[in-house]
Every structure is written in structure tokens, then in C-alpha cells.
Amino acid sequence: MYQNYNVYIICAFASIGGGLFGFEQSSMSGVLGTYAYTTYFGVEGGYRQGGITCAMPGGSLVGALASSFIADRFSRKVAIQMAAVIWILGSILQTASNGIPLLVVGRVISGLGVGVASSIVPIYQAEIAPKEIRGRVVSLQQWAITWGILIQYFIQYGASFYDGGPKNRTQGTAAFRIPWGVQIIPAAVLLGGMFFFPASPRWLASQDRWEDSITVLANLHGGRDMNHPKVLAEYQEIEEALTLERLAAKSDWVSLTEPRMLRRVLLGMSVQMWSQLTGINIMMYYVVYIMEAAGIGDTLLPSSIQYILNVTLTLPAIIFLDKWGRRPSLLLGSFAMMVLLFIVGALQAIYGHPFHADTGPLAAITWILDDNTHISRAVVACSYLFVCSFAVTWGPTSWTYPSEIFPSQIRAKAVSLATASNWLCASGVAMATPPLLWSINWKLYMLFGAFNGMAFVHMFLTAPETKGKSLEEMDEVFDRGRPAWRAVPKGSRLDKLQKEIEEGKVKVTAPFVYAAEGKA
């Protein structure tokens, strides 16, 4: 079967799995403002809506925890395909839902799929990519998420005009069934397309399939030359790392609890946790509520602007993350989002007032800005700037960083725990936001602003820079006793080894190379 070995194409296509994450994040935002949804399901905010929304991230939590078993046993590639199948099944159930129970079941099943995909896609990308562009191609995961959010939102926006528009109290159910049905398409494309891409060379090596591993490495990074110095250097790095891990003779789960590794596990989980506690999913899940509270009349179109900004501002991170680094992105992003949330909360507190509506989409909010155009615009502008700050910093980095800091033997399990922390917090945020918006209104912005301040301090103290280092060099980054805020020495051991092989100072002979060349 034909196999494509272009790193950019492989990683871009795999990131469709991230697009499913984006569809999930936006799957409710556009329908919340329609009578079709609120009338059919009898939902007008509060705990019931929170429960429906958090059903999918709740399923994703379980999917993320299960992902390592699938990825380690069947390969990263097969795990991504299985995630697509599960997503399709869940989407079918959502589209056919005749009440809240079936809708919740469908969202839980879709969540299982997106939980697996969100854990394994960054691992697959990181294990495929050379270190020089690893941050760039793993960031494609976040870009795909933003595209998924944008596409799903505009599908919902277009569908909302069906049968008299979103304010028609007798609007038909196609207004929400069409968007939920369309999301089957990207999963089907992902399922079929992954057959034409290779398995991870590091997973192949972990299964002692060295001939296949070296062949993939040569096709990816050596112009199909198995004796290319870069291929031989990568082989030796991978082989030495696996040997050391196996000599430790400990189970993968026991290795996760060793003090030197536990620090990394907790760091990976914290990065994913803080990415949710920045408050970004308030903007994604409940943007309609935010706009209504700001006194914006037509909420659906202004809300879409932030999705466009989310897509656009992720591009600079894709291009420059491997140049400016992971650590500055985490620190600057936390600080900027903290300031913006405090400003929004202050404006709402000073210029807003209590509000009550008995029925309809506005029944979900109890605090509103009205008759003050300038302040309303300022709140919306700060919301846009908040999304921009996240898109260019924490969005891509929160996926790149956990996928690259763990050894091969435990990578899938450690990243599954990190991603599970993301989904656990996402479930909490999705469940808690509607009742919190209703009960503490503007104070919610202050709460998430404080979370960003805590994230800034935490990342400053614990997150060292990883750019420019191979996956096999992360032990040197984390285990040398160097404070996180002190610069990591420049240069890469892999580059040095490659140069020595080129100059003939080091001779590396990979198994199966000559046999494979003889067959050709």
C-alpha cells in the first residue's frame, strides 16, 4: 500500500483528530442561542445544561485514560483510527437524539473518541517529527482544534436560520441536527486517510521491530537512505534510551511514580490543567452567554469573530514556537490572560446590574451590561484579546510540551494522564460555568484571572525550556538539578553525534540495514 512520508503532510493530516476536539468544544456554543434547542430539550442554562455540556469532556476523560493501552498495544496510528470510529458512532447518536438521555449518551461516546485522539495525536506527531520542527508540527494539533471550533460554529450559525431563525419559538430540530451530523465527515476522512501513513518509528522500536523502525526513519529524515548520518544517530539515541529504560526492569506504571519521573508527570498534568483553567473554554462553550451579558443584541455573529481570531493567531505560534520557545509562551500567555480577565470582571462589576428573564436563552444569565455601548464594546474587545493571547501562547504549547518531555517507554501513559487532567478540568468548567454565571456572574472572571496568576507562578518555578532538544535528551533537561528558570545549555547531543558520524569519528551500524539494502 502507498505510504506518504512527508512529515508536514503526516502531522497535518493526523491533526484532524484535533479538529474533532474543536468540533467538541464548539458543539454547543451555536445552538444555545436557538429556540429549537432550548425548547426541544427543555434546557435554559443551569445544572441541566452544564450536565449536557460536560458529558462529552467527561467521556473524553475516560478516553484519555484508556488511550495509552490502545496506543502501546496496537500503535499510535491504529489508536487514532479507533478514535475516529468511536467519534462517528457518538455523532450518529447525537444527531438522532430524541431527548436528553440519548443526547448525553451520544456525547459521552463521542467524548471517548476525542479523548483518545487528543492524547495520541500529539504523541504520534512528536515521534514522527525531527526536533527542529517538533513544536511547529505538534502545534498543528491546536490549529486543527481552532479550525474545528470555527467550522462547527459557522455550520451552527448557518443552521440557526433554518425554519424562521433562532428566535422563532417553533423552530424545527434541523437547526441542531445538521451541525451534529456534519461532524461525522472529518472523522470518516481521518479513519480512511491514516491507512496511507506510517506507524511511529519509536513505537516500532519499542516493539523490537527495528527493521521497520529504521526504514521509517530513513524515509522520514534520511531521503530513504538507511545509512544517512541523521538516521544512524537517531537510531543510536532511540536504541540507547530503550536499553536504559528496560534495564530499570520496572513496570511502566511504577516508573511513573519514581521521584525523577513523577516531577515530569505532575508538570505535564499541570500544563494541561492550567490550559483549561485559563478560562478559554468559558469563551468556547458559553460565548453566547458572555455576549448576552455584555448587552450585545445579535450574539451569534460577534461571537464568531473570536473563533476567527483563534484560528488566525495560532499561526504565529506554529511558525515561531521552535524559535521563541515553550517557556516564554507559557509565562507571557498566563500574565496577559490574567490582566484581561481582571479588566472584564472589573468593567462588569462597575457598570453592570442584576438581570432576570423567566424563559428563553437569556434566562441563563443574571447580570448584564446595557445602555452603555462603550463599556460593552470594551468587554467584547477584551474577550477577543483574551482569545488571541491564548491562541498564540498556551493553545499550541499546552499540547507540544507534555508530548515531548517523557521517555519512550512511558510516553503514552504519561501523556494520557496529562490529557486526562485536561478533560477532568474541562468537565468541571463545563459543568460549573452555567450555575456560576447565574450565581456569581462577574466574579467568575476574577476567579479565572486568579487561576492565570497561579499558573504564571507555577510555570516560572517548574517548567524548563525544551526547544531544540531531541525526545531522548529530555532526561538531561530535567534530571541535572538545574532550576527551571535557568537557561538550558544550547545545542543538541543528537546534532553532535550526527556530525561525528559524518566525520567518521563514530561508527554506528544499525541492524538490518545492509540486509535491507541487499534486498533492494
Side-chain angles (χ1 to χ4, degrees):
M1 180 182 287
Y2 168 78
Q3 296 276 286
N4 187 292
Y5 289 99
N6 183 289
V7 172
Y8 283 105
I9 293 176
I10 295 169
C11 294
F13 191 89
S15 68
I16 293 175
L20 302 183
F21 189 167
F23 271 82
E24 181 276 328
Q25 282 193 302
S26 189
S27 61
M28 279 289 162
S29 56
V31 300
L32 288 176
T34 66
Y35 273 102
Y37 174 80
T38 57
T39 302
Y40 188 81
F41 292 104
V43 176
E44 295 177 347
Y47 285 106
R48 180 176 292 186
Q49 178 57 53
I52 293 172
T53 304
C54 82
M56 192 173 286
S60 299
L61 169 62
V62 178
L65 290 172
S67 65
S68 64
F69 298 100
I70 302 171
D72 283 339
R73 178 160 186 159
F74 300 107
S75 83
R76 287 42 166 150
K77 172 180 167 179
V78 171
I80 294 170
Q81 291 178 301
M82 291 178 68
V85 172
I86 297 169
W87 173 270
I88 290 171
L89 176 60
S91 296
I92 291 171
L93 293 178
Q94 289 178 70
T95 306
S97 59
N98 57 358
I100 291 177
L102 187 57
L103 174 60
V104 169
V105 170
R107 286 181 63 77
V108 169
I109 293 174
S110 289
L112 290 171
V114 83
V116 174
S118 62
S119 292
I120 304 306
V121 168
I123 295 175
Y124 180 70
Q125 293 169 320
E127 292 183 346
I128 287 284
K131 62 180 177 57
E132 292 83 3
I133 61 169
R134 188 175 62 240
R136 181 178 303 169
V137 297
V138 177
S139 294
L140 292 173
Q141 159 92 343
Q142 176 63 20
W143 203 37
I145 291 173
T146 65
W147 273 108
I149 294 170
L150 179 67
I151 292 169
Q152 173 68 298
Y153 186 85
F154 272 114
I155 291 172
Q156 292 180 0
Y157 179 70
S160 72
F161 290 100
Y162 168 80
D163 195 18
K167 303 307 179 184
N168 177 18
R169 293 177 181 270
T170 60
Q171 186 181 34
T173 61
F176 57 80
R177 296 194 194 278
I178 291 172
W180 294 345
V182 168
Q183 62 190 9
I184 294 171
I185 296 173
V189 172
L190 179 65
L191 171 63
M194 286 301 295
F195 284 108
F196 302 101
F197 298 106
S200 159
R202 287 172 170 84
W203 178 82
L204 291 168
S206 72
Q207 305 300 304
D208 290 322
R209 293 170 56 182
W210 287 103
E211 183 174 6
D212 292 334
S213 176
I214 295 165
T215 299
V216 172
L217 283 172
N219 287 327
L220 288 171
H221 307 150
R224 302 183 184 274
D225 178 8
M226 290 186 177
N227 283 307
H228 191 287
K230 185 168 187 175
V231 174
L232 294 176
E234 282 190 282
Y235 155 72
Q236 179 155 314
E237 288 263 286
I238 294 170
E239 194 272 337
E240 287 180 354
L242 281 174
T243 299
L244 289 173
E245 291 167 20
R246 287 169 176 173
L247 284 174
K250 295 179 180 178
S251 74
D252 298 346
W253 290 109
V254 171
S255 297
L256 292 174
T257 62
E258 290 183 339
R260 58 180 285 270
M261 204 55 62
L262 184 60
R263 173 195 169 195
R264 277 188 251 181
V265 172
L266 293 176
L267 177 59
M269 294 177 68
S270 297
V271 169
Q272 288 282 318
M273 175 192 75
W274 289 126
S275 73
Q276 289 296 324
L277 295 181
T278 59
I280 187 61
N281 272 355
I282 296 178
M283 301 299 178
M284 296 304 143
Y285 285 128
Y286 300 116
V287 60
V288 172
Y289 292 168
I290 304 300
M291 295 297 174
E292 286 170 344
I296 302 298
D298 178 12
T299 60
L300 291 176
L301 188 58
S303 300
S304 69
I305 295 175
Q306 75 173 25
Y307 294 125
I308 297 172
L309 292 172
N310 197 21
V311 170
T312 305
L313 269 295
T314 302
L315 269 176
I318 293 174
I319 297 170
F320 297 113
L321 184 60
D322 287 308
K323 294 183 179 180
W324 66 43
R326 285 59 158 159
R327 183 176 168 84
S329 295
L330 295 173
L331 296 178
L332 292 174
S334 296
F335 183 80
M337 289 186 286
M338 175 187 69
V339 171
L340 289 165
L341 286 172
F342 283 154
I343 291 173
V344 171
L347 291 175
Q348 289 272 12
I350 296 170
Y351 296 100
H353 61 83
F355 173 83
H356 177 74
D358 292 323
T359 60
L362 286 174
I365 59 175
T366 59
W367 193 270
I368 196 169
L369 284 168
D370 55 18
D371 299 327
N372 199 325
T373 304
H374 296 300
I375 300 302
S376 294
R377 289 176 178 173
V379 168
V380 173
C382 286
S383 299
Y384 290 161
L385 289 173
F386 173 88
V387 171
C388 292
S389 299
F390 180 87
V392 80
T393 58
W394 272 82
T397 310
S398 64
W399 294 109
T400 301
Y401 200 78
S403 71
E404 64 187 5
I405 65 176
F406 301 109
S408 177
Q409 199 78 353
I410 65 168
R411 185 172 297 127
K413 290 179 174 60
V415 174
S416 75
L417 289 175
T419 310
S421 72
N422 178 303
W423 288 113
L424 180 62
C425 290
S427 299
V429 169
M431 183 69 183
T433 296
L436 286 176
L437 273 174
W438 195 88
S439 59
I440 67 172
N441 37 73
W442 61 267
K443 301 180 187 71
L444 186 64
Y445 299 100
M446 300 301 191
L447 176 63
F448 281 94
F451 283 149
N452 278 286
M454 294 163 66
F456 177 88
V457 174
H458 188 192
M459 293 300 102
F460 178 83
L461 295 174
T462 62
E465 184 56 70
T466 57
K467 72 170 182 177
K469 302 295 182 182
S470 70
L471 296 179
E472 288 69 37
E473 290 180 275
M474 292 302 160
D475 285 350
E476 294 185 9
V477 173
F478 283 90
D479 297 342
R480 291 297 179 90
R482 186 185 301 110
W485 57 86
R486 186 169 296 172
V488 175
K490 294 182 178 180
S492 169
R493 186 179 66 202
L494 181 64
D495 291 337
K496 183 179 179 182
L497 178 58
Q498 179 181 340
K499 185 176 181 181
E500 290 175 344
I501 293 173
E502 290 172 347
E503 294 173 349
K505 295 179 181 179
V506 173
K507 186 170 180 59
V508 175
T509 303
F512 310 112
V513 168
Y514 298 109
E517 289 182 341
K519 292 176 186 177

